[in-house]
Amino acid sequence: MTSIGNTEDAGSLISVTVIGTGLIGTSIGLALTEYGVRVHLQDVHAESVRIAEARGAGTALAPERQTDLAVIAVPPQSVRTALADAQRRRIARHYTDVASVKAALPAAGADLGWDASRFIGGHPIAGREHPGPGAARSDMFRAKPWILTPSADTSQETIATARRLIGLCGADVVTMQPEAHDRAVAMTSHLPHLVSSLMARLLRSYDHRALELSGSGLRDFTRIAAGDPDLWTDILGSNATAVLGALENLQHDLEMTRRILHALAASPGAAEAAEAPAYRELLRRLLEEGRAGQLLIPQKYGAAGRAYDKLQVLLTDREGELARLLADVSELNVNVEDLWIEDSADSPVGLAVLSVDAGMASMLSDWLAERGWPVLGESMSADPVAGRV
Amino acid sequence: MTSIGNTEDAGSLISVTVIGTGLIGTSIGLALTEYGVRVHLQDVHAESVRIAEARGAGTALAPERQTDLAVIAVPPQSVRTALADAQRRRIARHYTDVASVKAALPAAGADLGWDASRFIGGHPIAGREHPGPGAARSDMFRAKPWILTPSADTSQETIATARRLIGLCGADVVTMQPEAHDRAVAMTSHLPHLVSSLMARLLRSYDHRALELSGSGLRDFTRIAAGDPDLWTDILGSNATAVLGALENLQHDLEMTRRILHALAASPGAAEAAEAPAYRELLRRLLEEGRAGQLLIPQKYGAAGRAYDKLQVLLTDREGELARLLADVSELNVNVEDLWIEDSADSPVGLAVLSVDAGMASMLSDWLAERGWPVLGESMSADPVAGRV
């Protein structure tokens, strides 16, 4: 494939073809149309295109001429063929994708006869909603990272076009090597998903009454196991090498922990029991290091190091008082980062938890107390921890 | 030790000694004092008792005579000696604890010379706040399960007294065999904590930039790893046998998964590649079964099978509009189960998500739409899933 010429402005983005109108593809369409970009929507499922079009993400009509960029927004295993097909049809000057696995593609370019210079891998870190075009939002990517993984072959023009796309979506460009990207997501996303699934799977052999006793810790730990098995088979299969590496590291550490627990489980008379304090210290150190690792995770992208305090306000009549509380809070003009209600099942009494910029908490606390609100004291910035005795 | 006599009413609870004024002990004190029970607070840390007393959880004064019940609210490894000490001092007619491990205790009774007939193991499933007496709440246990694990030796009087305690705390009594309890919490709480810690620990070897890319899935998955290492060493060490069993099950399944990934990671030319579809199907089935396991977890105690729908409302001026939205919602008198804001970092635009009883969602949606609110459509009852492509 020859170069198409470089008469277009570097990174100009007048028209885009979105291939795959799921959650991500449709959200991209919504973001771009807000800036007047002409978006053409394509999907193997006609119904999905219809919904995306009705939401205002673009048109189902085929473009009359080559668009500036094609965004391949299909599951990882399908990117390769969708990209080859799109290039064969020459539907765009530049190509990118949004799959969560990146290293396999550039190598495959030559085999499939497509032009690797016109392609740049992309992976927006966003999208925790229900899948599908109905859940799409134009602000899905705003202030979120969007990884680009240019290969040695990727042209500067293609890079600039992808940057323009990301800019219009309001996201932040993060450039990474494809292999480094895949290793990182294997550890931060794919292995957690796998382990969460395997743990949830083990729960099936426990009686339901025992599961009634589970706390919020288990719910959070297994939340990701609710993900679509087909999609995740695709993701894990596409990134099998990197996930395998991360999994083997975990297996090593689990075996080490198994030995510690085995020693601690020994009956009080056994030889190991004398060394119990030493084993307990090993276990404590693992947990300590786990806590240190947990603290490295930014609690919100871009917010690493930014601290929030939580204020707890008791609502004796949850429904009546919440609106009044919010009104009092907004009067002070303090930025409420997050707000949720911890309720006591069927009780009308609830606890409103307000997460505010650290440093504003005491001011807000005083303000609310003056207005007669029962403020229960600030909790730590760290997330509350389940399973306390 | 001889029986103290049975002149007291079965299950009467006039006075209680709380030994250990942490989060749970202090919360029990707060709940009991609301019903006029005389609560005596004890702790090895005088400061902790002072805070609990100032919160209104009881008095730091020693009881003048034996109290009806002593609640041992110390970490698992310390229950045994605290209980033996309390019985030696004959501080109460009946004894219970709140530790998350139950099987080890009754067997130890005879060795330590205490009266097992006067003791019943207890474990309230509650407490996700910051630890310590300052975070205590009198409604901590309301409508939550509180497990009792009577042994063959436990007297009916002791059982009745513990039931009275739990009743005053507003919790639901669940009776279990100590061993069944320990196996259940090993799987639903202790192993998840351990695995979460080990996963978080592995993150330390990744560069921080890669961690900036982590999504909400990883944050939830590792949240419990933030727990106190000393306390969790104590818990895991106390329940080592049951945790070991659960861990070995997980290790078995991880090894099976490793083989699948190994086959899928094989280069396209390798012999395994021909069988890739079969391996992918195995992987898909594991994930499918994981999702089935995840669905067994009640999303809220007592709410198993109760469905909620989520309504999303776009707030273009988050702070100004939230109070107005709440006011409009409360006018309809629909029970809002939960409410949170998904925000776009520093953007004033936010998405308010209202979780309401399924069946009420469309009514509320219409109500809000009539009032000019941009309702973005209902999402599924299932939790949103991270990492969608």
Side-chain angles (χ1 to χ4, degrees):
Chain A
M1 196 170 198
T2 54
S3 177
I4 288 149
N6 49 13
T7 51
E8 74 265 29
D9 290 336
S12 79
L13 207 56
I14 309 297
S15 60
V16 167
T17 307
V18 170
I19 299 175
T21 53
L23 173 68
I24 299 292
T26 305
S27 293
I28 291 172
L30 288 171
L32 295 179
T33 49
E34 282 189 0
Y35 286 97
V37 178
R38 268 203 326 275
V39 179
H40 298 273
L41 305 166
Q42 300 183 2
D43 197 295
V44 289
H45 301 102
E47 176 62 15
S48 175
V49 174
R50 256 197 301 277
I51 297 171
E53 190 178 34
R55 298 279 322 271
T59 173
L61 294 174
E64 289 175 10
R65 63 182 69 82
Q66 216 178 27
T67 54
D68 296 316
L69 176 69
V71 180
I72 316 284
V74 300
Q77 298 270 7
S78 310
V79 171
R80 209 181 275 212
T81 47
L83 180 58
D85 175 64
Q87 283 208 352
R88 198 160 37 237
R89 293 190 288 133
R90 302 175 68 106
I91 63 166
R93 274 183 284 280
H94 307 282
Y95 299 85
T96 189
D97 74 333
V98 298
S100 61
V101 182
K102 300 268 69 95
L105 264 184
D111 302 348
L112 288 162
W114 50 269
D115 180 0
S117 73
R118 294 277 153 185
F119 172 75
I120 184 166
H123 179 204
I125 307 287
R128 49 185 301 267
E129 303 301 309
H130 180 57
R137 283 154 45 190
S138 66
D139 67 347
M140 172 88 76
F141 312 103
R142 211 174 293 166
K144 299 275 167 62
W146 189 315
I147 305 161
L148 286 180
T149 56
S151 71
D153 296 328
T154 308
S155 72
Q156 288 306 313
E157 240 174 60
T158 301
I159 294 176
T161 307
R163 283 182 166 275
R164 178 91 179 118
L165 164 75
I166 297 171
L168 292 180
C169 288
D172 298 332
V173 174
V174 178
T175 304
M176 288 180 90
Q177 296 290 328
E179 293 75 15
H181 168 274
D182 288 0
R183 274 196 308 275
V185 292
M187 187 60 216
T188 61
S189 168
H190 303 174
L191 184 60
H193 190 96
L194 189 56
V195 173
S196 178
S197 285
L198 292 179
M199 289 286 291
R201 188 173 167 273
L202 283 173
L203 295 175
R204 296 176 313 151
S205 57
Y206 286 77
D207 77 30
H208 293 203
R209 202 155 140 276
L211 295 181
E212 277 277 322
L213 307 178
S214 59
S216 60
L218 183 68
R219 282 196 289 276
D220 284 352
F221 184 77
T222 55
R223 184 176 65 79
I224 45 180
D228 177 3
D230 291 324
L231 176 68
W232 279 94
T233 301
D234 192 338
I235 291 172
L236 293 166
S238 303
N239 201 21
T241 305
V243 177
L244 185 64
L247 172 58
E248 285 171 349
N249 287 339
L250 177 66
Q251 284 187 295
H252 172 272
D253 293 355
L254 281 173
E255 176 55 21
M256 175 171 66
T257 311
R258 191 194 63 78
R259 289 182 194 175
I260 294 172
L261 287 174
H262 181 78
L264 291 174
S267 61
E272 288 97 332
E275 279 133 41
Y279 283 110
R280 244 194 299 276
E281 175 54 24
L282 284 175
L283 181 57
R284 203 196 60 77
R285 206 172 304 167
L286 288 180
L287 296 171
E288 186 74 73
E289 290 167 356
R291 186 160 70 165
Q294 199 269 347
L295 286 173
L296 296 178
I297 305 169
Q299 287 310 298
K300 181 172 179 175
Y301 171 69
R306 195 166 160 197
Y308 296 102
D309 275 344
K310 296 197 181 79
L311 267 188
Q312 310 184 351
V313 181
L314 192 69
L315 304 178
T316 49
D317 168 20
R318 194 169 72 194
E319 292 177 44
E321 291 184 344
L322 192 52
R324 197 165 63 79
L325 173 66
L326 267 291
D328 281 356
V329 169
S330 63
E331 228 182 290
L332 187 63
N333 210 19
V334 162
N335 182 33
V336 175
E337 184 56 26
D338 203 354
L339 178 152
W340 67 96
I341 297 167
E342 285 193 358
D343 52 11
S344 316
D346 296 325
S347 161
V349 174
L351 197 69
V353 186
L354 300 136
S355 173
V356 294
D357 269 330
M360 299 303 272
S362 63
M363 191 168 87
L364 181 58
S365 176
D366 292 349
W367 172 267
L368 291 175
E370 276 170 33
R371 273 146 198 81
W373 290 103
V375 181
L376 290 188
E378 303 147 37
S379 59
M380 302 261 291
S381 328
D383 262 349
V385 173
R388 294 284 311 178
V389 287
Chain B
M1 197 171 198
T2 54
S3 177
I4 288 149
N6 49 13
T7 52
E8 74 266 28
D9 290 336
S12 78
L13 207 56
I14 309 297
S15 59
V16 167
T17 307
V18 170
I19 299 174
T21 52
L23 172 67
I24 298 293
T26 305
S27 293
I28 291 171
L30 288 171
L32 295 178
T33 49
E34 282 189 2
Y35 286 96
V37 177
R38 269 203 326 276
V39 179
H40 298 273
L41 305 166
Q42 301 182 3
D43 197 296
V44 290
H45 301 102
E47 177 62 16
S48 175
V49 174
R50 256 196 302 277
I51 296 171
E53 190 179 34
R55 296 280 322 269
T59 172
L61 295 174
E64 289 177 9
R65 61 183 69 83
Q66 215 177 26
T67 54
D68 296 316
L69 176 69
V71 180
I72 317 283
V74 300
Q77 298 270 5
S78 310
V79 170
R80 209 181 276 213
T81 47
L83 179 58
D85 175 63
Q87 283 209 352
R88 200 162 33 240
R89 292 190 288 134
R90 301 174 67 104
I91 63 166
R93 274 183 284 280
H94 307 282
Y95 299 84
T96 189
D97 74 332
V98 298
S100 62
V101 182
K102 300 269 68 95
L105 264 183
D111 302 349
L112 288 163
W114 50 267
D115 179 2
S117 75
R118 294 277 154 185
F119 172 75
I120 184 166
H123 179 204
I125 307 286
R128 49 185 302 266
E129 304 300 310
H130 180 57
R137 282 156 43 191
S138 67
D139 67 348
M140 171 89 75
F141 313 102
R142 208 173 295 166
K144 298 274 166 65
W146 188 316
I147 305 162
L148 286 180
T149 57
S151 71
D153 296 328
T154 307
S155 71
Q156 290 305 313
E157 240 176 57
T158 301
I159 294 175
T161 307
R163 284 182 166 274
R164 178 91 179 119
L165 164 75
I166 296 171
L168 292 180
C169 288
D172 299 332
V173 174
V174 178
T175 304
M176 288 180 89
Q177 296 290 326
E179 293 75 16
H181 168 275
D182 288 1
R183 275 196 307 274
V185 292
M187 187 60 216
T188 61
S189 168
H190 303 175
L191 184 60
H193 190 97
L194 190 56
V195 172
S196 179
S197 286
L198 293 178
M199 290 286 291
R201 187 173 167 272
L202 283 173
L203 295 175
R204 296 176 313 150
S205 57
Y206 286 76
D207 76 30
H208 293 203
R209 201 155 139 276
L211 295 181
E212 277 276 322
L213 307 179
S214 59
S216 61
L218 183 67
R219 281 196 290 274
D220 284 352
F221 184 77
T222 55
R223 183 176 65 79
I224 45 180
D228 177 3
D230 291 323
L231 176 67
W232 278 94
T233 301
D234 193 337
I235 292 172
L236 292 166
S238 302
N239 201 22
T241 305
V243 177
L244 186 63
L247 172 59
E248 285 171 350
N249 287 341
L250 176 65
Q251 284 187 295
H252 172 272
D253 293 355
L254 281 173
E255 177 56 20
M256 175 171 67
T257 311
R258 192 194 63 77
R259 289 183 195 174
I260 294 171
L261 287 174
H262 181 78
L264 291 174
S267 61
E272 289 98 333
E275 279 133 41
Y279 283 110
R280 243 195 300 276
E281 175 53 24
L282 285 175
L283 180 58
R284 202 196 61 77
R285 207 173 302 167
L286 288 180
L287 297 172
E288 186 75 69
E289 289 168 356
R291 185 160 69 164
Q294 198 270 346
L295 287 173
L296 296 177
I297 304 169
Q299 287 309 299
K300 181 172 181 175
Y301 171 70
R306 195 165 161 197
Y308 296 102
D309 275 345
K310 296 197 182 79
L311 269 188
Q312 310 184 351
V313 181
L314 192 69
L315 305 178
T316 48
D317 167 21
R318 194 169 73 194
E319 292 177 45
E321 291 185 342
L322 193 51
R324 197 164 63 79
L325 173 66
L326 266 290
D328 281 356
V329 169
S330 62
E331 227 182 292
L332 187 64
N333 210 18
V334 162
N335 182 34
V336 175
E337 184 57 27
D338 202 355
L339 178 152
W340 68 95
I341 297 167
E342 286 194 357
D343 53 9
S344 317
D346 296 324
S347 161
V349 173
L351 197 69
V353 185
L354 299 135
S355 174
V356 294
D357 270 330
M360 300 301 272
S362 62
M363 191 170 86
L364 181 59
S365 175
D366 292 349
W367 172 267
L368 291 176
E370 276 171 31
R371 273 146 197 81
W373 290 104
V375 182
L376 290 188
E378 303 148 37
S379 58
M380 301 261 291
S381 329
D383 262 349
V385 174
R388 293 286 311 180
V389 287

